[in-house]
Structure formats: C-alpha cells, structure tokens
Amino acid sequence: MSPPSAVSAAPRAAAGPASPRPRAGRVLGPLAVLGAAVALLAVASLFVGGGATPPGRVLDFLLDRHGARADGDLRTVVTTLRVPRTLAGLAVGAALGLAGALLQAATRNPLAETGLLGVNGGAALGVVTGLTFFGAGSGAGYLPWALGGALAASVLVLLVAGAGRTGASPLRLVLAGAAITTSASGAINLIVLGTGRTYDEYRFWVLGSLAGVTAHALLGVLPVLAVGAVLAVPAVRPLAALALGDDTARALGHRPGATRVLVAVAVTLLAAGSVALAGPLTFLGLVAGYAARRLAGPRTGGQLAAAALTGAAVLLAADLAARVVIKPYETSVALVLAVFGAPLLILLVRSRNVLLFGAPAAPDAGRGREHARPGVPRPDDSLVLRAGNRSVLVPRRGALAALGLGALAALVLAGCAVFGSTVLSPGEALRALLGDAPPGDVLMVREFGLPRIAVAMLVGGALGVAGCLTQTMARNRLASPDFLGVNEGATLAVLLTLIGGGTLGAWWAGPLGGLLAAALVLLVAGGTGTGGHRVLVTGFAVAAVLRALVELLLARKDLDFAYAMFAWSVGSLNGRDYASAGPLCAGLAVLLPLALLAGRRLALLRFGPDVAGVLGSDARRTRLLALVVAACLAGLAVGVGGPIGFVALSAPVVATWISGPARVPLVASGLAGAVFVALADTFGRVAGGESEIPVGAVAGLVAGPFLLTVLLRERRG
C-alpha cells in the first residue's frame, strides 16, 4: 500500500499552486447546488402549508397584487406564521448541521451528533427545569436554561468518552451520550409528572416543531446562533490539522485541547439555541455531516459550509413533509428526521470505515490480570456432583452468589412489605404481615402491598434474565433491551392496544411488540453473527424511531388520557395485583427453561464458534434463540409494568461482579433485577407520598450514573 501512495503523491506535490484550484472548484459546485436547493425549499416553505391558503394567494401577497395585502387573514398566514417559520428552519437547520460537522471533525468520529451525544438531552432538561420552576417562556426565555444544560452535557460526554486527547470510539461516544440522555430523561420524567400543566406543554415541545415560532423568539435566539457560527471560523484550520492526528497537529503549531474546547463552546451555543427555538431534534447533524463529507471531500472548510447548507435543506424538507403528510394536521418534525436519520446511522455502523475511529472495549476489559483472556471460562472453583454415570459441574462462587441473592430477595420482599406502607408504621405493617393485626391492616398489607411487591420482583427478574441473554449474545456488557429497541417496540404495541380501546390488561402486546422490534434490529444489522457494536447501535437507531412514534401518539390524545399513559410509559406498577402476576408467572414458566437452555449454549460460544460447533452448538441458532427469549421476557415485563429502564442493563453486570465470569449468570441476574425493581418501586411510593414516583423514573435517575461508571471502568481497563 505504501509505494502506490508515495508515487501518487509525487505528481500532486509537483503540481504546485495549480493543484488546489480543481479541488476548490469541486467544492464550490456542490455548495452552489446546495444553496440553490435551500433557496427553492425556502420558497416552497412560504407557499405550502397545512391550511387551505392556495399558493397563488401567497404570490399575490408577496407581489402586492389584487389587493391581497388588505386581507388580514392572508397577512397573518404569510408574515406571522410562514415567514418566521421559514427563517427558523434555515437558522436551526444550519446551526445543527454545523454543530454535527464540528463534533465529527473534533472527535474524528462520524457518529458524533448533538442528539446522539446527549447535548440535546441536557438542553431539554434545562428547558424543563426553567419551564417548571422558574416560569420560563418560549423561545428566548428557554435560552439560558438550554445553554446551561447543553454545556454540562457536552463537557461530561467528552470527558467520559475519553475524547480529550486521542479521540473516542464511536460506540463509547454513543453510549456516553445515551447515559447522559437517560439521566436527563429520568430527571425530566420526575419533574413533568409533578404537574399536569408542565406535561401539557412538554408533550408538544418534545416533538420538535417549527410551528408557532414567532419573530420575537427568533430574534432572541439568532444572536446566540450567530456567535456559535462565528466561533467555528477560527476552528477550521486547527480541525484540518487535527484530522491528521494530535501529534501532527501539535507539530504544525496547533493546540488540540484548545481546539476541542473552542468546538465544544460553539456546539453548545448552536445546540442550545436550536433546542430553545425548535425543541430537541435528533439525527440532523448526523445526516448533514455525512452528506458534507461526500460532497466536499476532505476540505474542512468546505465540509462545514456544506453541512450548514445540508442541515438547512433537510430541516426545511422535513418541515414541509410534516405539514402535508397528514394534511390538514401536522406530524412531528422529529419523527420525520428520525425516520430519515436512523437508516443513515445504520448505514454508517455497517460501514467498515467506522471501525477506523476505534473499536468497542472488550467484554472483559478491566477485570484484572486473571481474566486476560476474555471469552475463555475458568471454572477452577467448580464442584463436581456425581450420580451414577451422570455428573453436574457446579461453580462454587456462582452457587453462593445465587444463594446469597436469593436470601437478599426474600429479605427485600419482607422489608418492602414492612417499610413500604405509607399509612401503617413499620411495627403495624409487620404485625399485619404476620396476621396479628386488625382485618383492615391485614388486608392492606397482604392483599394490596404484597401483590405489588411480588409483581415488581417478577418484572425485575424477567428484565434481569433478558439483559443477561442480550449482553452475552452480543458479547458486550452494555447491550440490553433498553438499547436494542425491544422496550420501545413493546411500549408502542401496548399503547396501540390501549388507544384502540383496550385496557392495561393487554399484556400480550408487550411480547409481540418486543419480538417485532428485535426482528427489525436483526434484519437491518445483518443477522445474529454481526459484532455487538453493530447490533447495539442499530437498536439505538430503531429505538429512536419508535420513541418518536410513542411521543406522537401521546401528543395526539386528550390531556387526561395522555398524562395517564405517560406515567405508564415511564414505567409504573401502580394498581398491580395478583391478577397481574398471573401472565408473568405463566410466561416465566415457559421462557425461563428456554433461557437456561440458551444460557448453556451461549456459554459454549465463549470457546469460539468452531469449538461450539464441535460440541453440538450452532452459533447462529443459539444467538437467535437468546434474542427471541430475551425479547419475549422484556416485552412481557413491559406489558405488565411499563418500560422500566436500567434493570436489564445493570442486573447482569452486578451478577457478574458477584458470581464471576466463569458462567452465564442467568439466575443471579434475575434475582438482582428482582431486588432492584422492588427497591425502586418501594422508594418511589414512600418518597412520593400521596403522589408516588413511578418506578421507571427512579430507575432512570440511577441508570445514567451507573452507565457512566461502567464506561469509566472500561476506560481505565
């Protein structure tokens, strides 16, 4: 490879000053085409809308013909609605496209984007905080809160992902952003559930829309966007040098650290201003950056200009589609962008070039020298139990861990029943649990308290086992149904049955939706034999589309119904009793033996597919079985308790820490998940008082810090 590169470089060097001109010409051509496309889309945005105003009347108004400017309704449509909306589309689209290109250049990572990296999530948390507690108004009133949240999120993501010096792998950046987004979502859910008025505003704002943008709000945000764009200008040359590596950039006289700080400030201003004006819009920076690299080539300045124009064009096109797709109503701009951006994200992940920016950490990274050969079990602490010609190999550490977690689960069951009552004291609850209390107290504890705790433990057990299967299948401890789109698919399916006239008893829709989502992820990821990072990021893209559909469904319903469904969509066990435990017990009775079978076969895959094949285990069939069982388990849990996050991610990690990596810790994972959900639900009931905190909101607050801890441990390893 080296000699051809040297030979091809010589003529270019000998060409002297004449060689940059064709390159500049190749950049200016695409930029001119993009500029023309933006102009045409801006004109179309003025002439097309969801109402009944014909384009000819708009043209008459603009040309001042036939007395059109005397028409007050027409003046309102053009000057108050469409002109500010079009200008906002141009500004926000260019800002997010430029922000995405800046992030991708600074981190040398094609997956970097403000929505995927948690910057939008941090800005959204800031806006919700200002809206709820400080009475912040729309547009410019959201700006300082969006700035603070975006700044905190961007700095934290870059620090955790390790992008400070050498760049970070695509997987690490996406997961760090997902951790920030998860924590921000948990905090937002906790805040929004406190007041129906906040939720009524939030459910429309979170969709992302240019509708209703006023000239006053636009003028208040434009200076911030302009400053962010201006800060990008001095970063062009340092970013071009940074593309060659940090050492080369330093040799050329640049400071990579200072360059990334400058980029972080510019991206924060651009993202915060965009979120304040149009809400959280995901994938736009990703699409713009990808198109810019294809159109402008390696020239950094051309990439930034092309990204800004592409962002403006894509957002205007998405806004036009949102107006006319279900005319006279409007759909979500965020949904249109997700439907368009998710396939692009999958295309990037399937590309071999993405792997050049860094590979995901090994599944057993950072576990110590004794596990320096990840994937090879060492059952040297096992006990052999013999009965005639048959023998069973029982790992001592794993068995002790399962027994200990089982005892802990029993203690948690009793403790939640005693300390989880908001009416009875612990002493009264204990006597009621033992049957030595008035009938009313016994009824409250045994017929209302214990069933809910039992359902919580069953839901947590199902999620823990599902997470263990997916993490082992993908050979990545960070893979779970939360990130594979299974939970979102189950949530959407259950909501569709509710909207169609069903009740909360439509638990069967959860496993069905989870299976369909898993099948979609499997299809677009290229099968079960692909790398764990590809399945994971593909699931993240699918989950983004499904989540946008859920938010759109909630926004289309009346406030009371939407608020109740939003509380469930966060994850809630309110009102669960023994009847709810019936489907769980029946499903677990069928799925747990299949999970144990899949876990036994997955353990053989640690020796490699060739050895597993010799031992009679087909790798693809084993992974397929594990994914199907995990999707059914997670969907069943969602159908009964809602999409409770964090549990399927954390329970297997904790179980592995306790029981060791010699076996697939299915039993320990299920017990750990049961303990987590029971404790989270009890804490939400006690801490929330009369208005309880849903278990999913409690879990969401813990999920982000836990995922960040895992990432930091792998970074040190």
Side-chain angles (χ1 to χ4, degrees), residues 208-236:
S209 176
L210 297 175
V213 174
T214 64
H216 174 73
L218 180 62
L219 292 176
V221 172
L222 277 180
V224 176
L225 300 180
V227 172
V230 169
L231 290 178
V233 176
V236 172

Side-chain angles (χ1 to χ4, degrees), residues 374-398:
V376 180
R378 298 184 58 188
D380 50 0
D381 68 336
S382 298
L383 176 66
V384 180
L385 302 179
R386 302 184 184 276
N389 295 330
R390 298 182 178 275
S391 62
V392 178
L393 198 64
V394 179
R396 290 187 179 91
R397 182 177 172 181

Side-chain angles (χ1 to χ4, degrees), residues 152-314:
S154 59
V155 171
L156 189 57
V157 167
L158 291 177
L159 288 177
V160 172
R165 292 189 58 188
T166 60
S169 71
L171 177 66
R172 193 180 302 279
L173 273 171
V174 169
L175 290 176
I180 300 300
T181 302
T182 301
S183 295
S185 298
I188 288 172
N189 292 334
L190 191 62
I191 294 172
V192 168
L193 286 170
T195 168
R197 182 190 62 84
T198 301
Y199 172 69
D200 195 23
E201 297 182 32
Y202 168 77
R203 64 172 177 155
F204 294 104
W205 175 82
V206 75
L207 292 175
S209 176
L210 297 175
V213 174
T214 64
H216 174 73
L218 180 62
L219 292 176
V221 172
L222 277 180
V224 176
L225 300 180
V227 172
V230 169
L231 290 178
V233 176
V236 172
R237 292 179 62 86
L239 287 175
L242 200 62
L244 303 175
D246 285 16
D247 293 336
T248 303
R250 292 189 187 95
L252 294 175
H254 299 287
R255 300 170 60 187
T259 301
R260 291 192 173 98
V261 170
L262 178 63
V263 168
V265 174
V267 168
T268 299
L269 293 174
L270 293 170
S274 301
V275 170
L277 193 61
L281 300 175
T282 310
F283 289 119
L284 185 56
L286 177 67
V287 174
Y290 178 82
R293 287 191 299 275
R294 287 300 182 94
L295 294 174
R299 297 174 67 92
T300 304
Q303 286 183 6
L304 297 182
L309 291 173
T310 303
V314 170

Side-chain angles (χ1 to χ4, degrees), residues 93-190:
L96 291 177
L98 179 59
L102 286 171
L103 275 178
Q104 292 167 17
T107 60
R108 300 197 297 274
N109 186 335
L111 296 177
E113 196 261 349
T114 58
L116 295 179
L117 296 189
V119 181
N120 287 2
L125 176 58
V127 169
V128 171
T129 301
L131 174 67
T132 305
F133 299 110
F134 299 94
S138 61
Y142 294 155
L143 187 57
W145 305 100
L147 279 173
L151 178 62
S154 59
V155 171
L156 189 57
V157 167
L158 291 177
L159 288 177
V160 172
R165 292 189 58 188
T166 60
S169 71
L171 177 66
R172 193 180 302 279
L173 273 171
V174 169
L175 290 176
I180 300 300
T181 302
T182 301
S183 295
S185 298
I188 288 172
N189 292 334
L190 191 62

Side-chain angles (χ1 to χ4, degrees), residues 408-409 411-417 420 452-461 573 644 647 671-686 695 698:
L408 177 62
L411 290 176
V412 167
L413 177 65
C416 291
R452 177 165 175 169
I453 300 171
V455 171
M457 301 192 82
L458 290 173
V459 167
L573 295 171
I644 304 172
V647 178
L671 292 171
V675 170
F676 290 159
V677 175
L679 290 177
D681 183 55
T682 301
F683 177 82
R685 284 191 288 122
V686 174
V695 60
V698 178

Side-chain angles (χ1 to χ4, degrees), residues 394-635:
V394 179
R396 290 187 179 91
R397 182 177 172 181
L400 290 176
L403 290 175
L405 286 171
L408 177 62
L411 290 176
V412 167
L413 177 65
C416 291
V418 172
F419 296 98
S421 176
T422 58
V423 178
L424 304 177
S425 66
E428 294 172 340
L430 179 59
R431 288 191 295 270
L433 182 64
L434 298 175
D436 185 19
D441 294 352
V442 174
L443 179 67
M444 186 175 299
V445 172
R446 291 188 174 183
E447 299 299 327
F448 295 101
L450 274 181
R452 177 165 175 169
I453 300 171
V455 171
M457 301 192 82
L458 290 173
V459 167
L463 290 174
V465 173
C468 184
L469 288 174
T470 54
Q471 290 178 14
T472 308
M473 178 202 67
R475 302 188 66 182
N476 191 315
R477 288 174 299 162
L478 302 177
S480 73
D482 310 81
F483 293 104
L484 295 179
V486 174
N487 284 7
E488 300 295 341
T491 303
L492 179 61
V494 174
L495 284 179
L496 287 175
T497 61
L498 296 175
I499 293 174
T503 65
L504 286 177
W507 58 268
W508 51 267
L512 179 61
L515 275 176
L516 292 176
L520 181 60
V521 171
L522 199 64
L523 178 64
V524 298
T528 57
T530 57
H533 70 282
R534 185 182 297 178
V535 175
L536 184 59
V537 181
T538 301
F540 182 82
V542 172
V545 177
L546 297 176
R547 190 178 306 113
L549 289 172
V550 169
E551 293 169 350
L552 180 62
L553 284 175
L554 293 178
R556 296 302 182 191
K557 307 304 292 185
D558 62 87
L559 179 59
D560 293 336
F561 180 86
Y563 185 72
M565 291 303 97
F566 175 73
W568 176 87
S569 69
V570 172
S572 175
L573 295 171
N574 187 24
R576 297 302 181 265
D577 52 17
Y578 286 125
S580 302
L584 276 171
C585 292
L588 291 176
V590 175
L591 295 172
L592 285 183
L594 294 176
L596 293 174
L597 175 62
R600 180 180 178 85
R601 293 183 177 180
L602 286 173
L604 295 178
L605 294 184
R606 295 182 175 187
F607 295 101
D610 295 335
V611 176
V614 172
L615 295 176
S617 177
D618 183 81
R620 290 186 178 273
R621 292 182 180 178
T622 299
R623 295 192 184 102
L624 181 61
L625 174 63
L627 183 60
V628 169
V629 174
C632 291
L633 284 169

